Amino acid sequence: MIRIDAMWLSAEPIDMRAGTERLLARVVQVFGVAQAHHGYLFANARGTRIKLLVHDGFGVWCAARRLNVGRFVWAAGSTPSLALTAAQFDALVLGLPWQRLPEHSSITRA
């Protein structure tokens, strides 16, 4: 199992044709560095597709998800990135309004 200690959401949309290397470059541009055991979420401009980039300490993993109906609820505003809790991440991936969930739970999973 891939360990994820922190989850970060990039508020700026990205081209979903981007592969692992381009997403990693975007992580460095937005977050400063790709930290081990951190996950980074990106969405397309329409909010119908997301990609998750995870640095596991040895390499980088990339996963993608698409909604056929509806849109992912994405952060909008002046902040380029936002930390997510485990519950917020779970809700976001399902396309639910994750902003209504509490911000104090941990991302760590067993």
Side-chain angles (χ1 to χ4, degrees):
M1 177 183 280
I2 300 171
R3 186 179 106 203
I4 302 175
D5 295 334
M7 186 69 63
W8 298 93
L9 181 136
S10 178
E12 298 271 331
I14 195 160
D15 184 350
M16 284 293 118
R17 293 174 293 181
T20 307
E21 297 299 321
R22 190 194 284 173
L23 290 174
L24 187 58
R26 183 73 178 158
V27 166
V28 171
Q29 180 184 16
V30 172
F31 301 96
V33 65
Q35 297 183 25
H37 308 292
H38 283 218
Y40 304 93
L41 279 166
F42 300 92
N44 64 345
R46 292 188 336 208
T48 57
R49 300 175 80 192
I50 61 172
K51 282 194 176 183
L52 169 65
L53 191 75
V54 178
H55 187 308
D56 68 358
F58 299 105
V60 179
W61 296 80
C62 185
R65 178 154 168 80
R66 179 178 66 172
L67 287 180
N68 293 320
V69 177
R71 298 177 190 274
F72 290 104
V73 180
W74 213 251
S78 60
T79 58
S81 64
L82 179 69
L84 296 177
T85 65
Q88 288 174 328
F89 171 74
D90 292 343
L92 185 146
V93 170
L94 293 173
L96 300 174
W98 57 270
Q99 293 96 334
R100 298 179 185 173
L101 298 173
E103 298 178 9
H104 59 275
S105 65
S106 173
I107 194 73
T108 305
R109 298 178 187 269

